[in-house]
Amino acid sequence: MSRPLGTFASLSPLLRLLVLTQLAFNIGFFAVLPFLAEHLGTAIGMAGWLVGLVLGLRTFSQQGLFVVGGALTDRYGVRPVVLAGCVLRIAGFGWLGYARATWSVVAAVLLIGFAAALFSPAVESEVARQAVCREEAGEGPRTHVLALFTVAGQAGAFVGPLIGALLLAVDFRAVCLAGAGVFVLVLAGHARLLPQHIPGRARVRARGGLRRLVRHRGFLALCCAYGAYLLAYNQLYQLMPVEVERAAGSQAPLAWLFALSSLLVVTAQLPLTRWAGDRLDLRRSMVAGLLTISAGCAVVAAARPAGWTGTAGLLPVAGYVLLLTLGQMLVAPAARAWVPDLAEDGRLGLYTGALSSASGLIVLTGSATIGALLDTTLPPAVPWLVLAALPLTAAALLPCSSRARAGAKPRS
């Protein structure tokens, strides 16, 4: 059952729907995002620091506001939050396709991000809860379900940029409208198929969960580690396009580099998760992933002073993509599997959202800083050296214990 299709077939109908939801979300999203930085810098003429800030705002309005979507999910349930997020994402992509002024671009990007801040924590928290329930029923480790969820997301991240690259031959507006069209289909499908009430999921009405969350040192350390990973991952859209443009003279190789990352996750995520589950606890899996991500950034930093171009210039970037993806495959399922053991009963949506909110704040400040470094006279390796140092620091902050409790009570 290590193959994706075998694992998928063993899931409940609800889990299958949620996994397919992640696939569809990422097809629509990644049809647009990989080409946004170039559009902002070339077509609209934004400075490097402003492009970095806009990309950081997009991430923060998404990741940073996950805590809102998570709390709303705990309060109102999965279905209304997912449907509302789809409507906002359709509006945001449509707006971005026509936006030219800086304020209009920023507003559209914020709307796109907030849409995901609604539907993503709703879907992710329910997948995690269902994975714990499945584990307790003796149907397999929770990490296998969460790894399959990652595979579905990366499959969408593979298909999305290819669609976007084809439509970019028309213009960026066509790319945005195609992304909106995908979410129209998602909205229609979920309006019909997503249950009004999911058995076992209690709605929480009491307040006070956020106060206890911000005092939870172990959870905050997990947020820092996850944020360091996301900042490095965000460079697929910020630093990597700059390197590709410098080395190849165009953005054409970007689609192939994204395809490399996605294909690696689709083919290797479940076997790697099974291998790590037999040998590593959640903490060690995250540390190994963060060290691998750091190595990927260091590869580009070491090669950048040589100033290679052509195929040779693309090899360090390909190494970064490869090592980043391997690190992601260790970090992402482990972090999601760890959250149910740290969350309060009935607050899994809040904690799932807060994980992304805190890491989104890290990405916001980090992206603006990286963008500012690009506009200075410092050596071009400096941003990559900074990125290599952050995962190392975050790994040292992780809690010492991360045992996934096989008999843990599922979080509603």
Side-chain angles (χ1 to χ4, degrees), residues 64-378:
L65 296 178
F66 262 40
V67 65
V68 176
L72 290 173
T73 301
D74 290 337
R75 175 65 178 84
Y76 296 106
V78 174
R79 178 185 167 89
V81 179
V82 168
L83 296 183
C86 289
V87 171
L88 293 182
R89 176 57 66 85
I90 293 165
F93 275 158
W95 189 349
L96 182 62
Y98 290 88
R100 302 295 298 180
T102 298
W103 71 266
S104 186
V105 170
V106 170
V109 165
L110 289 174
L111 188 60
I112 288 169
F114 182 60
L118 292 179
F119 57 65
S120 287
V123 171
E124 290 177 14
S125 64
E126 187 57 32
V127 167
R129 195 183 74 84
Q130 292 289 331
V132 172
C133 293
R134 190 173 182 271
E135 180 182 75
E136 292 190 339
E139 299 176 8
R142 70 183 77 172
T143 51
H144 290 187
V145 175
L146 296 166
L148 181 61
F149 189 73
T150 300
V151 169
Q154 285 302 313
F158 168 68
V159 175
L162 297 179
I163 294 173
L166 290 174
L167 292 172
L168 201 60
V170 180
D171 58 16
F172 185 73
R173 180 176 299 168
V175 176
C176 291
L177 294 179
V182 171
F183 278 88
V184 169
L185 297 176
V186 172
L187 175 64
H190 283 72
R192 178 175 178 83
L193 299 174
L194 197 59
Q196 290 280 358
H197 174 69
I198 298 172
R201 181 157 197 144
R203 296 182 183 179
V204 176
R205 302 181 184 278
R207 298 180 180 180
L210 187 59
R211 187 182 304 110
R212 287 186 288 273
L213 182 151
V214 298
R215 296 175 182 173
H216 197 316
R217 293 183 180 180
F219 179 73
L220 294 179
L222 178 64
C223 291
C224 289
Y226 197 71
Y229 143 66
L230 276 182
L231 178 59
Y233 185 85
N234 199 56
Q235 302 318 304
L236 291 172
Y237 318 111
Q238 186 175 5
L239 282 185
M240 189 175 78
V242 175
E243 281 297 300
V244 168
E245 182 75 30
R246 182 197 63 80
S250 75
Q251 298 281 311
L254 272 181
W256 297 106
L257 289 169
F258 277 100
L260 169 65
S261 175
S262 299
L263 283 174
L264 185 60
V265 173
V266 170
T267 57
Q269 177 70 79
L270 289 177
L272 181 61
T273 299
R274 184 176 294 278
W275 176 89
D278 292 339
R279 294 164 177 81
L280 306 173
D281 63 15
L282 298 179
R283 182 185 189 278
R284 289 174 180 171
S285 183
M286 289 200 66
V287 169
L290 290 168
L291 293 178
T292 305
I293 290 169
S294 177
C297 298
V299 165
V300 182
R304 187 60 183 83
W308 297 326
T309 58
T311 302
L314 291 173
L315 288 177
V317 181
Y320 155 73
V321 171
L322 176 65
L323 292 171
L324 174 70
T325 304
L326 288 173
Q328 173 194 357
M329 289 192 289
L330 290 167
V331 169
R336 291 190 181 112
W338 202 341
V339 172
D341 289 337
L342 298 173
E344 292 180 68
D345 288 340
R347 301 284 186 183
L348 183 54
L350 175 65
Y351 277 71
T352 299
L355 176 68
S356 294
S357 291
S359 56
L361 181 59
I362 292 171
V363 172
L364 173 62
T365 55
S367 293
T369 301
I370 295 299
L373 289 174
L374 286 175
D375 289 335
T376 67
T377 58
L378 291 171

Side-chain angles (χ1 to χ4, degrees), residues 389-403:
L390 291 176
L392 298 179
T393 304
L397 298 176
L398 284 170
C400 294
S401 176
S402 65
R403 183 176 61 89

Side-chain angles (χ1 to χ4, degrees), residues 46-53 238 367 371-372 374-375:
M46 291 184 176
W49 71 268
L50 186 54
V51 172
L53 180 61
Q238 186 175 5
S367 293
L374 286 175
D375 289 335

